[in-house]
């Protein structure tokens, strides 16, 4: 696909068409066999050519974790930084280089435990980042402690008697800080994952994509109800903008008098009342309500797709505009004039 | 009444009052007048950590000290000659600094029973004879100001606010200062409030006239201009000079400036200053915390900017993990630490030099970083420029250490010409730099044989896509490597790169007029002024002493060991418990003695002079 | 009032009745004249006796900022810690000392800028803390830089050309991470402030109270539309559980067909349709929706009062219960047995 | 067939395979057998940073080295006598460590063309003669295991998994080890999977029988038990010993234990271990990050707990601001740094000693903290206990330094008796401790005249409500104070308190058998083993050398200077670029030489022995 993304208007276009192969590096991929990260890597490598921009104008910044090894495997510019700080580092890059497409790859521990603060600040500022949050509900790289998305009572190396913490819902969290683009998808659903990447890439500003990812070794099957062919369709809610929100084969999402959502069989009589998904509402409340539908343990009624996608001034653009504006008003900086901006005196 | 004009060679004035009395402003304006008049000078503000501590209390006292002279001035001065105290608290907080015979100008209106008791004066010092050793001028500054402004349409409270301008007028008269600069300042500040402007100008005028007419003062003074190098001068604080140094480096190198910072006293003013200069393409980013401050700067450095992060001690502690990443990535980065009293929150508005070893070692692993220290307010310009030059040339984070006294202190500054500053060459790599089997490839960690610097490669450069990270890298290729021998090599290479800077920097600066002194006083950073003044002082008594000052604290200039061994004794005065001393002793095995003062206040030159004599008495 | 709070069931009761005076220290209060912090201090000192617990069983932990000087002025145990870390420090105290009533005092910079991560984690864990967030929309102590709650375009020392960041809405943020008690009140409304403190104190688990506070020096009038007698009643929405949500003298909050809230004149005809506030709903969506009503700049339609107050297991209780449970199962720890829990051998 | 039994005094075995081959388990079990048999021993695991690096690659090799003997064992050994390599990668990665004549037991099943080429073997070393210098036993470990389990209802893949037990059986036979411990372990592990259990036991058995019957081995070995001090022993790793030391301190002091931590290699196992012991009242809190880890510990310390935070180097960097707060608050706190390769992320699974200066100086301001260093895996118990004792006695944060090699290494441990451990007395203050005008008052910063410790006061204590914070405090009252002289006094008092610990700790440990050595080898932390072994080695050649080892690295034991001056030469081997050396040189002006190795691997005793000889050759 060579159609360009409006969001990448400042990024130089490529002249030669690229393929997934062009985004592979010579480094051996070192995840465990079966790890969900492989599928995400393949999907991203296959998707990137669609951006239509030169490889050298893409940069991927990651933190630390299994997931954060990602940049080594994608032949763009990249940085494997330190634990939790990728959004902060990427912010510095994004606001100084609007000519780059900047991606952040992070894990549930990296983004939501140690890195929670940078993440929420990047989102409120609407920094021009596409954040891929690989959520395997566990600390993989450190060999299996519970994470801020692990379900309550989780038995892990650090919680042999069960964890006590109530997990974050990453989508609710992102909506609570008014992130302008919030989506969720699955490592194993290549098509949905690719579509979600496409929507994120098209968004101007911060786009966060929670990717439900399987850790084969320390949390195998964490997302089974959403992946196993037999049950997934009954548990997943595939959000599509402008479409009625359906659950499984026969059910739908409805709203009661008090404004609360509930799920019921769709009949001919009530079909028209199925809630229509509107990802472009400025008020994040409706999206927030959808984020509350899923059961954090059984994973029933879990919406995937784009919860929210709205426009708001973008941080790097704003910063550039301010520089342009001030330069226009004051004239481009003249160092000698700056030195003399206070009272001076001459000694002969 | 005809008054006597006395010529002095130098004066130290201290303005003191409540935080709300505007003493910093008065001091600043008097300084501006003095600078414009052509005296050399040095200043030191001293204010409480609270925004507005309770009125009339000791905690609430804010003061500003100015030292000016007809010759070179190195410090804000030890014992002031004149104290202007706007209330009893200001008197009480500062009287201990005053030598006998000093002039006290006291605002008698505020010496009420209530105000006196608030600070524990159980009798009125204006009356009880306790100030007999001083030359006391009790003046009703407040009511005289109100009186002078009675024709203005102001409430009493509003009128009272101008008492600092009244005091400024009086002092300007007393020391024969022109008031043009103050006028200009007021005109600019109150351009939109003509009534307030007029009142302030009137108060200034009235204060001057009062001096001229009152019998309270029978003499007035003049201090002739000093005769520094010819050129254009301005008065500048350390934080502004530092900001200008960074902008100069940006202009000269062509690298856009990026600052990632989180506010903290006494470093915030650098953020404030730089945020004004967006027309130089300066991007300032007020981050959510110090970690994001340095993190964003690392991102910007990777993007090819001249990246800076500014903070004070506690902020450095927070940034330390990320600074380690910058060391591993070998990216240019300037880390400014405006040191303040510690540990922990410590004395946030006071000065100290106790972060040197934090800068050296406050990171996990072997993580060497060059350290540049500024030695006077105006020198912050040069130090910042030099830090930027080293960072870019060697692709390394560089610490720039200043302190609270330098940051807020000010002095006249001979304006530099940008074209005469040493060049800074980003020298971005744009082509593969290595060959493997005849194919050109990029080796992001292939080093310059001279500097050992690796290439700097801007994202967006075609053909050079590559990944870097905090895991140990293979020498040359930069790929992840767990190989034991490679790690050892890389650890030593990073160290050698930093040590190598010593080769190209100037020798240690030494001032030894007779060439045969037995004692070397070795300083770094802001002790430059008091050490220099102390040496001059004792030399007047015929004592031979040398002064060496370290600008590049890590690595030490190449000849440092040689210089040290030339002297029988080495004395290191520091506002800490002996941090440079540890490094000097450990590196050169020289039995350097420490003179330590950790009071949140700069050394007085007399303290250092006394120590010099003491050491020499025991040689 | 000597009635005890159920939430303080593990905290020793006082035998002697206390008064506000008992909570004053000998330290001089060092805020600027006119600072809103004075009113909050007075209200807290007057309220604390109501807790009915001994002074020594109350601890106040603060960070750094003008507001964070608070503990010095209240004669309980207290710690003025470091910038942003009060929730983390208080968590350590709370989980080890369920016999203490632990309060956190923090500012908008302290809590939401540098301390954002600790804050959201304390809230998700439901640590037994009462968090008073003094929001003056500015950094006071460092002399006036914009904060994460400052309105867009704010001109401050660090943003002479206007800030670019989109502010947090602290209530939305707290609801996004499912805090079990979320409220908002005003420094200047002593009665409302006291009622809110009372409700927070009664809550088991994390209670966050955003207190809109005036900084006389660097952001005077930031909350004027909610404080000035002439206009405040038209701007404030006083939430009361179980009551219709009214706006000013004549208006009310309604819900449209799509579930969105809107404000309209209340007439006899529609009076029954005014939305009834339910703070006890498990789903935070309705409370979230209310948090979106206010305009961040003009401050019209700003709800105050308790947005959410729901029960969830409390962190210190859970930790104690786990210790009790394991001790019951394994027996109280015997060090010698522990040493011998692996294979041992004897050397004679 | 009758086989020859040979008695050896010591053996070093290295098990190596793919990350998924279970080599750590095999090593652990062989070690357990060996420990139970009564040999002294020392172990060292070495595994990749990736969870499962790609199969069959060099990156994926995981190994485990065991040194056991009939005498005292100080290190995991330099050159292994036996290598068990489960695939070509394991051979290639480790062959460089093997001396000529060493025994290689190679899993021939895996030496396929594909596997060989994956690691760059272009011909098969089993056939090309390149292993001629070694005693090679190519055994089809995989297929023999599958064969042995053919009667079990297992897929081939499942059966293959037991090949590590087959290898264990073989090695157990070869070195006459009992297999009871391994059996017990398997029974426990697979209690719920009887089929898997039976298969593993069968594989173990089969491996043993294979050794007994095959002609491949004509000799087998025994290593007599060593004769250590009488008592009950167990085998223990450093991280577990450290955890037990903390629990012991909790039990002995009566202070409940609180751990605030964030997972990080190689420290996480302390969190894992302590989280198991809730029945000791241990509260473990997995915080959101390192800052919250130490922050929560500070809160718990304020609440009267024995508070601990554990991490590795990058985590210390993050904690440094909060550690400064603990210094200012003067609260007991134990900070464990399990050092790993740096800078930045560095070599996360490898060992290093490069955080010493970070522990000393990695904070803003003058912020002194005692530092205890553990010197062997079992010694982590004593070191942790001592750190807790100092923290509680002196009301101070204490650093406890271990490293990756200590943390994962293991050795036999003579079980202590809790009652014989030195007492730890929390001595909480419960009453006012001062009088003002006859009224009893609390002075939270009034110090014990002996230790200079301030009182520890638990919230909940009636009559003692008070507030503490990070701003400088008035000596005694603890109220905020900006007074210059008070700050200087407090800075010096905090320093004096820490320095004072030297008074009551034992003298420097020195091993100088002849008493007239010219060279002193000075070590700290985990170099204890290799330095000790090196000294023994060279002494056998008649070389006189002394070994001193520093347990309390800050402050140094009182007699350190005196000891140093007794020797003409001092050599300091460190896994860094000379951090202890800087402190020793700077403190004592002794020209100590450094031996530095920064390879992520412990010193070999031969490396140190060579350096000793080299130094002595130049005396
Ligand atoms: C400052 C710091 N603290 C801790 C660690 C150890 N650490 C590395 S990755 C990780 C968590 C990984 O979890 P997640 O982000 O979910 O990534 P995953 O491995 O599951 O993909 C931790 C705690 C570190 N590298 N640095
Ligand atoms: C680590 C660290 N960074 C920065 C500071 C400087 N600082 C002190 S208070 C503060 C912000 C205060 O704002 P807020 O929390 O809103 O409190 P307020 O003063 O407005 O009550 C800052 C940036 C500090 N003390 N420590
Ligand atoms: S540990 Fe889990 S997340 Fe990490 S590489 Fe292995 S399977 Fe993937
Ligand atoms: S600066 Fe503002 S918040 Fe701080 S004490 Fe003054 S008025 Fe209050
Ligand atoms: Mg994870
Ligand atoms: Mg604020």
């Amino acid at each position: 696909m060579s159609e360009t993304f409006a969001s990448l208007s400042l990024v130089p276009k490529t002249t030669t068409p690229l393929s997934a192969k062009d985004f592979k590096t010579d480094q051996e991929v070192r995840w465990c066999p079966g790890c969900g990260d492989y599928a995400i890597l393949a999907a991203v490598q296959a998707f990137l050519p669609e951006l239509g921009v030169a490889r050298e104008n893409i940069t991927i910044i990651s933190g630390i974790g299994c997931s954060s090894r990602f940049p080594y495997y994608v032949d763009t510019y990249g940085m494997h930084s330190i634990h939790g700080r990728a959004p902060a580092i990427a912010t510095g890059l994004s606001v100084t280089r609007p000519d780059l497409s900047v991606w952040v790859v992070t894990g549930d521990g990296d983004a939501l435990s140690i890195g929670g603060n940078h993440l929420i600040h990047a989102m409120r500022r609407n920094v021009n980042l596409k954040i891929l949050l690989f959520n395997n509900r566990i600390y993989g790289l450190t060999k299996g402690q519970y994470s801020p998305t692990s379900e309550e009572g989780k038995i892990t190396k650090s919680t042999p008697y069960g964890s006590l913490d109530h997990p974050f819902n990453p989508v609710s969290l992102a909506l609570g800080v008014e992130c302008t683009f919030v989506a969720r998808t699955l490592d194993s659903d290549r098509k949905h994952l690719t579509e979600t990447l496409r929507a994120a890439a098209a968004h101007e500003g911060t786009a966060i994509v929670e990717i439900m990812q399987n850790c084969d070794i320390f949390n195998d099957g964490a997302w089974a109800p959403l992946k196993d062919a037999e049950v997934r369709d009954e548990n997943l809610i595939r959000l599509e903008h402008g479409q009625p929100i359906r659950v499984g084969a026969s059910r739908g999402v409805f709203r009661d008098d008090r404004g609360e959502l509930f799920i019921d069989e769709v009949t001919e009589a009530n079909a028209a009342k199925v809630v229509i998904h509107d990802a472009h509402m400025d008020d994040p409340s409706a999206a927030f309500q959808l984020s509350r539908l899923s059961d954090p343990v059984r994973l029933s009624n879990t919406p995937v797709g784009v919860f929210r996608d709205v426009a708001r001034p973008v941080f790097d653009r704003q910063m550039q505009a301010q520089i342009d504006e001030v330069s226009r008003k004051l004239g481009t900086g003249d160092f000698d004039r700056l030195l003399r901006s206070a009272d001076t005196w001459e000694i002969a | 009444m005809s008054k006597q004009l006395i010529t002095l060679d130098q004066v130290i004035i201290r303005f003191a009052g409540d935080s709300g009395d505007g003493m910093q402003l008065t001091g600043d304006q008097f300084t501006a007048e003095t600078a414009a008049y052509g005296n050399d000078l040095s200043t030191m503000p001293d204010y409480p950590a609270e925004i507005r501590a309770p009125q009339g209390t000791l905690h609430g006292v804010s003061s500003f000290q100015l030292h000016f002279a007809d010759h070179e001035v190195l410090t804000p001065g030890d014992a002031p000659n004149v104290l202007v105290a706007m209330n009893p608290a200001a008197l009480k907080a500062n009287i201990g600094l005053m030598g006998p015979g000093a002039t006290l100008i006291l605002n008698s209106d505020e010496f009420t029973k209530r105000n006196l008791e608030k600070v524990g004066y159980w009798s009125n010092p204006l009356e009880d004879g306790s100030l007999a050793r001083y030359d006391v001028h009790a003046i009703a500054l407040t009511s005289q100001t109100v009186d002078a402004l009675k024709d203005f349409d102001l409430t009493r409270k509003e009128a009272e606010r101008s008492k600092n301008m009244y005091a400024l007028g009086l002092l300007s008269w007393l020391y024969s200062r022109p008031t043009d600069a103050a006028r200009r300042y007021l005109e600019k500040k109150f351009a939109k409030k003509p009534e307030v402007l007029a009142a302030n100008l009137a108060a200034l005028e009235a204060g001057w006239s009062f001096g001229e007419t009152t019998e309270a003062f029978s003499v007035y003074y003049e201090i002739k201009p000093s005769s520094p190098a010819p050129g254009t001068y301005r008065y500048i604080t350390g934080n502004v000079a530092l900001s200008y140094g960074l902008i100069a480096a940006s202009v000269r190198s062509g690298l856009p400036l990026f600052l990632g910072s989180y506010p903290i006293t006494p470093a915030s003013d650098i953020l404030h200053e730089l945020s004004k200069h967006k027309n130089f393409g300066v991007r300032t980013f007020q981050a959510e915390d110090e970690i994001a401050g340095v993190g964003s700067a690392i991102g910007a450095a990777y993007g090819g900017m001249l990246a800076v992060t500014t903070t004070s001690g506690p902020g450095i502690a927070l940034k330390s993990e990320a600074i380690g990443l910058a060391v591993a990535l070998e990216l240019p980065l300037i880390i400014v630490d405006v040191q303040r009293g510690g540990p922990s929150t410590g004395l946030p508005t006071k000065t100290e030099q106790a972060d040197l070893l934090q800068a050296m070692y406050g990171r996990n692993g072997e993580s060497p970083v060059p350290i540049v220290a500024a030695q006077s307010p105006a020198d912050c310009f040069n130090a910042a420029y030099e830090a930027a030059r080293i960072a870019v040339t060697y692709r390394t984070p560089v610490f720039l250490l200043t302190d609270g006294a330098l940051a807020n202190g000010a002095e006249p500054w001979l304006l530099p010409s940008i074209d005469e500053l040493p060049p800074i060459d980003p020298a971005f790599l744009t082509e593969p730099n290595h060959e493997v089997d005849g194919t050109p490839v990029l080796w992001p960690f292939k080093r310059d044989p001279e500097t050992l610097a690796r290439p700097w490669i801007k994202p967006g450069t075609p053909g050079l896509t590559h990944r870097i990270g905090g895991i140990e890298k293979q020498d040359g290729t930069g790929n992840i490597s767990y190989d034991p021998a490679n790690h050892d090599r890389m650890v030593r290479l990073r160290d050698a790169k930093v040590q190598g800077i010593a080769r190209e920097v100037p020798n240690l600066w030494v001032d030894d007029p007779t060439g045969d002194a037995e004692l070397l006083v070795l300083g770094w950073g802001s002790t430059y002024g008091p050490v220099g003044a102390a040496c001059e002082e004792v030399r007047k008594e015929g004592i031979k002493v040398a002064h060496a000052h370290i600008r590049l604290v890590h690595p030490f200039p190449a000849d440092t060991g040689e210089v040290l061994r030339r002297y029988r004794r080495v004395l290191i005065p520091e506002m800490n418990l002996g941090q440079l001393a540890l490094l000097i002793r450990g590196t050169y095995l020289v039995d350097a003695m420490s003179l330590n003062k950790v009071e949140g206040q700069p050394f007085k030159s007399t303290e250092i002079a006394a120590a010099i004599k003491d050491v020499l008495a025991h040689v």
Side-chain angles (χ1 to χ4, degrees), chain A residues 27 56 71 75-80 88-89 92 95 97 118 125 320 322 331 333-334 338-339 343-347, chain B residues 35 184 230-234 277-280 283 285 288 295-296 299 302-303 459-461 465-470 479:
Chain A
Q27 297 295 296
E56 60 267 19
D75 194 0
T76 61
Y77 282 87
M79 187 194 295
H80 177 223
I89 294 171
V95 299
R97 296 292 306 272
H118 308 304
R125 291 189 184 111
Q320 185 61 53
Q322 200 167 57
D334 170 336
L338 174 66
L339 292 183
D343 284 330
T344 60
W345 64 94
E346 303 287 333
I347 304 287
Chain B
R184 265 202 308 280
T232 306
Y233 283 78
R234 64 174 278 183
H277 304 297
K278 301 213 184 291
N279 56 332
F280 283 86
R283 283 173 164 80
F285 171 58
E288 57 272 22
S296 62
Y302 185 61
T461 312
T465 53
H466 68 287
R467 279 66 48 194
I468 57 177
N479 291 332

Side-chain angles (χ1 to χ4, degrees), chain A residues 224-260:
Chain A
L226 306 177
K227 297 175 156 219
D228 290 355
E230 311 84 62
V231 294
R232 65 180 176 216
D233 288 333
E234 284 310 300
N235 288 320
L236 282 173
I237 301 179
R238 293 173 181 274
L239 299 175
E240 278 175 68
H241 176 71
Q243 296 300 315
I245 306 176
R246 301 290 305 245
V247 188
S250 60
R251 290 166 302 144
V253 173
F254 298 88
R255 196 185 304 280
D256 71 12
D257 287 352
R258 300 179 57 209
E260 290 184 69

Side-chain angles (χ1 to χ4, degrees), chain B residues 51 262-265 268 286 289-290 311-316 318 340 345 348:
Chain B
I51 300 307
Y262 187 69
I264 187 166
T265 306
S268 309
Q286 181 178 309
D289 63 11
E290 281 84 355
T311 188
S312 184
I316 294 293
L318 286 167
R340 66 187 215 184
T345 307

Side-chain angles (χ1 to χ4, degrees), chain B residues 450-611:
Chain B
E450 180 93 5
T451 59
L452 297 181
R454 76 173 191 96
W456 193 7
I457 308 147
K458 243 196 294 200
T461 312
L464 301 187
T465 53
H466 68 287
R467 279 66 48 194
I468 57 177
I471 299 186
E472 188 57 284
K473 281 158 289 289
Q474 189 177 41
D475 190 13
T477 68
N479 291 332
I480 288 185
S481 165
Y482 303 129
D483 174 51
N486 175 74
H487 178 49
D488 194 272
R489 185 163 57 251
M490 288 294 277
V491 165
R492 291 175 202 266
L493 273 171
R494 284 185 290 258
D495 193 55
K497 178 177 83 167
V498 172
Q499 295 303 331
I501 300 170
R503 274 195 324 263
E504 61 118 349
V505 299
N507 277 345
L508 184 59
W509 176 91
V510 186
D511 171 39
D512 184 355
T514 59
D516 61 350
E518 298 210 305
L519 171 66
L520 175 72
V521 186
L522 177 66
W524 70 278
S526 71
T527 59
Y528 176 77
V531 171
C535 288
E536 281 185 17
E537 227 168 288
V538 300
R539 283 175 194 151
K540 284 189 196 140
E541 303 175 31
I543 293 174
K544 291 178 181 167
V545 63
H547 173 196
H549 216 75
I550 303 193
R551 133 70 54 81
L552 184 65
V553 188
H554 187 228
F556 291 132
D559 65 335
T560 305
E562 192 191 302
V563 170
L564 291 170
R565 278 184 283 272
R566 261 190 256 145
Y567 297 89
R568 261 184 76 189
R569 281 300 170 89
V570 177
L571 175 68
I572 305 184
E574 294 179 88
M575 296 190 289
N576 60 42
L577 291 183
Q579 302 199 357
L580 176 67
L582 175 83
L583 298 176
I584 289 288
R585 290 168 59 93
T587 310
Y588 301 107
L589 293 179
V590 162
D591 192 6
M593 286 168 299
S594 277
L595 174 64
N596 306 124
K597 171 173 175 175
V598 202
E599 299 187 356
Q601 305 284 347
F603 274 103
K604 296 180 176 168
S605 56
T606 48
E607 292 164 341
I608 296 173

Side-chain angles (χ1 to χ4, degrees), chain A residues 31-32 35 66 136 140 213 215-218:
Chain A
W31 290 307
C32 308
C35 178
C66 294
N136 54 13
Q213 171 244 333
C215 168
D216 253 51
I217 304 296
F218 297 111

Side-chain angles (χ1 to χ4, degrees), chain A residues 64-67 83 107-110 114 136 138-142, chain B residues 321:
Chain A
I64 296 282
C66 294
S67 34
H83 200 32
D108 44 326
D110 194 58
I114 192 168
N136 54 13
I138 200 82
Y139 290 173
L141 190 70
T142 48
Chain B
E321 190 208 9

Side-chain angles (χ1 to χ4, degrees), chain B residues 312-314 339-355 575 598-600:
Chain B
S312 184
Q339 301 166 94
R340 66 187 215 184
S344 194
T345 307
L347 296 177
T349 58
K350 311 291 175 188
T351 195
E352 205 156 286
Q353 293 184 297
D355 291 351
M575 296 190 289
V598 202
E599 299 187 356

